[in-house]
Amino acid sequence: MRHALGIAAGLALIAVALAPLPQAQASCVSVTRKCQAKPLIGIEVTARATPSAAPSRQVSYTLDYSMTLTPSFAPYWGTFWVGGRFPAGRGPTRAVLLDAAGKRVAVLRCREHSDGVWCAAGSHIPHRGRVVLTAPTGGKGVTRLGFDSFEELDRKESERRFSRREARERFCNHRFTTTVTTTPDS
């Protein structure tokens, strides 16, 4: 009798683990590919900027981020981009990625894309850290900064560097952003 109950309980656990996850509201940005579920990694982003800057000077934007992984049996394969929309379209050419202790992890190259200026962070970044972007300022402006997460990649795809356009066409794209306002120095 105990043996039969053990087998029944084991089969019930397997059935629950293999059952498809319910559809959830996805914050999918991609217009060509729809996401099947909510993000596997949630990213909380807070941003601040140099409070005021003289016109035609530099503004430093600091993004503090923290990632929360959805509990899963499968490994996560994805890729990340950091950036956003800058005032007057003047964005940075590079960004510095720091870990939670403030140690420099990487310098990211940034480029202008149809949806803003974005820096390729790749697939291996710390779960907590800071990104510093320095951009020219054109006076007062509102900047929308954050992370784009591309999901539903396999291991081989996560090792490959896709262009932003190609990643948006092929994979599920979730966006996590916040707004920063800068004012000109008088």
Side-chain angles (χ1 to χ4, degrees), residues 65-149:
Y65 71 91
S66 176
M67 296 182 177
T68 306
L69 280 75
T70 301
S72 172
F73 294 109
Y76 176 81
W77 304 111
T79 186
F80 302 98
W81 292 70
V82 63
R85 290 205 178 270
F86 293 83
R90 305 171 98 192
T93 56
R94 69 183 189 102
V96 179
L97 175 63
L98 308 167
D99 64 9
K103 181 181 171 196
R104 177 188 255 176
V105 175
V107 176
L108 313 173
R109 291 190 339 218
C110 306
R111 287 192 33 220
E112 191 167 337
H113 298 274
S114 61
D115 60 338
V117 177
W118 294 92
C119 315
S123 57
H124 304 291
I125 64 173
H127 292 283
R128 300 185 100 179
R130 175 174 288 166
V131 179
V132 179
L133 305 115
T134 303
T137 181
K140 181 177 181 167
V142 175
T143 308
R144 191 140 185 89
L145 299 172
F147 278 85
D148 266 7
S149 166

